[in-house]
Amino acid sequence: MNIINVKNYQTLSEIAAAVIAAQIIKKPDSVLGLATGSTPEGTYKNLVEMYRDGILDFSKITTFNLDEYCGLGKEDPNGYFYFMMDKLFSYVNIPRENINVPDGTAKDVDYECAEYERKIRRANGIDLQLLGVGRNGHIGFCEPDDVFYNETRQVNLTESTIEANKRFFASAEEVPKTAISVGIKTIMSAREILVLAGQDKAEIVEKLKSNICSPRIPASILHYHPNCTMIFAENA
Ligand code: F6R
């Protein structure tokens, strides 16, 4: 994994948007894997600006988000579908039918997970996967565990993730305890991966600099990806 240190969050967001923009320009029908959370917000803002300036055209783009909380529907302001509409999708011309976010309200969760994997395969896989990283080393909602979980499935969120994400909810009790998340194999199958980490992730980034690879630090698998870059903002 190639780690690029940049001085602040603004630079992180500008570089990340430039990498995604280059992908869209090189391959206008790219399949993008997208993340939610605070870290990519600046990147999405820059992409929206590039679209408004006429630099980018999203009309042939397909997107797959990493995860969604179980129980939260598309209209729920705490859900990730809503987040993506609010930060990116409402402002650019991605055809609605090309937008994919796991359905947190699916009655048959196993079917939803298997179908999500099939949809990614039918789209011929992900060209560029954007990732954030949790303080506990999670990617998507692949939480620290005894093994790496490969495919999209329902996951139990750890206490530390619930604690970290309660800022988006009225209280920790309101944070759903489970989510649908793509798996490690799904992420590792992307042709290119771009990981964003701000200063609040300094501790986990330090761990990732060593060559250990363990399911206790899911992001450590990224060392084995042939085309993975992390942008770390030292003073974000
Ligand atoms: C969300 C996701 C998570 C976040 C991670 C960091 O779709 O995939 O892995 O990227 O929890 O979140 P922030 O950026 O809020 O620190």
Side-chain angles (χ1 to χ4, degrees):
M1 177 164 47
N2 177 27
I3 302 185
I4 302 172
N5 292 300
V6 298
K7 59 181 189 314
N8 58 35
Y9 181 71
Q10 191 188 336
T11 310
L12 173 148
S13 303
E14 280 165 4
I15 295 177
V19 171
I20 297 168
Q23 175 68 41
I24 296 172
I25 291 164
K26 271 190 303 189
K27 189 177 178 228
D29 61 349
S30 288
V31 179
L32 304 178
L34 298 177
T36 58
S38 304
T39 317
E41 279 192 38
T43 304
Y44 293 147
K45 194 163 173 281
N46 288 328
L47 288 173
V48 169
E49 272 167 29
M50 282 189 234
Y51 170 72
R52 285 186 176 148
D53 290 346
I55 298 167
L56 291 180
D57 174 19
F58 290 80
S59 63
K60 297 196 178 74
I61 292 296
T62 297
T63 63
F64 286 91
N65 264 79
L66 287 163
D67 39 24
E68 178 60 282
Y69 291 112
C70 288
L72 302 195
K74 288 189 161 77
E75 310 301 327
D76 193 311
N78 290 318
Y80 286 165
F81 183 87
Y82 189 100
F83 174 98
M84 290 306 302
M85 290 305 289
D86 190 42
K87 306 297 176 202
L88 180 68
F89 296 154
S90 297
Y91 311 105
V92 298
N93 62 336
I94 305 175
R96 189 66 181 258
E97 64 275 17
N98 291 4
I99 291 173
N100 298 281
V101 179
D103 179 2
T105 62
K107 295 262 178 309
D108 185 343
V109 178
D110 290 344
Y111 178 82
E112 171 65 15
C113 294
E115 185 57 15
Y116 205 68
E117 285 289 336
R118 282 192 287 269
K119 272 191 204 159
I120 294 175
R121 278 198 289 274
R122 280 199 295 269
N124 198 24
I126 288 168
D127 290 303
L128 175 61
Q129 175 67 60
L130 182 66
L131 293 178
V133 59
R135 272 185 225 128
N136 64 2
H138 74 210
I139 45 179
F141 273 141
C142 298
E143 297 281 41
D145 212 322
D146 293 336
V147 290
F148 288 113
Y149 283 96
N150 283 334
E151 300 213 321
T152 303
R153 65 186 193 111
Q154 185 168 13
V155 296
N156 295 317
L157 300 180
T158 60
E159 280 309 316
S160 73
T161 295
I162 292 170
E163 187 59 28
N165 289 4
K166 72 177 187 197
R167 67 190 194 280
F168 297 111
F169 294 80
S171 69
E173 287 66 50
E174 285 190 24
V175 184
K177 306 293 178 278
T178 59
I180 293 175
S181 174
V182 301
I184 291 290
K185 192 169 98 189
T186 328
I187 292 172
M188 290 294 280
S189 301
R191 289 179 270 282
E192 183 176 352
I193 298 182
L194 179 64
V195 193
L196 309 181
Q199 212 277 329
D200 58 324
K201 308 292 165 42
E203 209 175 301
I204 188 70
V205 170
E206 204 45 50
K207 282 190 195 157
L208 290 174
K209 281 183 185 161
S210 75
N211 279 333
I212 50 160
C213 179
S214 158
R216 290 271 143 216
I217 309 174
S220 64
I221 192 81
L222 297 172
H223 286 301
Y224 289 97
H225 193 280
N227 191 6
C228 175
T229 302
M230 173 187 275
I231 308 175
F232 173 51
E234 291 163 333
N235 300 313

